[in-house]
Amino acid sequence: MAEQTKDQRKQEPRQSVASKAAATGFAGGLLWSALGAGAYYFHFTEVSAASFIFRSFWQTDWTGTWLAEVLSVLIVALLSIGTAFVYYFTLRSRKGIWPGAIFGLLLWGVVYFVLTPVFPAIPGFMELSSDTWVTTACLFILYGVFVGYSISYEYHEFNQTADSYSNKEGV
């Protein structure tokens, strides 16, 4: 039985934690920004990713279409890779759900308090509805938990597996 699991580990090429962090960031950005676009469509929030990425810089008709929403979701997914690396380099060794939740809440604060002046299509924080506050904060917290928990799990799993290999070989 032990030989069989040892053979399975040798056959599967191990992917680095950093590359898994990039994949997690892309998947998290894609998933949660798509849910944000859905929340915008159903009027749970006044802003969507397209509000930040396209409507702030171009006031044309196409920025209000589904194409702008899809493109903005893809752009957010790409930008999310960088956000995942921020988490990877700062908080990857933290266990549990809370570091990711706090990271998501801090990210929400940065976007809605610090970066809002950069995006003219986004009203000031106090001009947004409480539905927008709650919906976007929840989406950012869920994004942070998704990215944070995934990255820290992979980090601890990778280190635990590396330790078990070195202990078995007597290194």
Side-chain angles (χ1 to χ4, degrees), residues 40 50 54-55 60-72:
Y40 175 76
F54 294 122
R55 292 183 200 118
T60 59
D61 291 337
W62 78 273
T63 59
T65 64
W66 65 271
L67 177 63
E69 293 295 334
V70 170
L71 288 174
S72 64

Side-chain angles (χ1 to χ4, degrees), residues 124-138:
F125 184 75
M126 296 308 288
E127 297 169 7
L128 295 170
S129 69
S130 61
D131 291 341
T132 299
W133 296 349
V134 172
T135 302
T136 56
C138 288

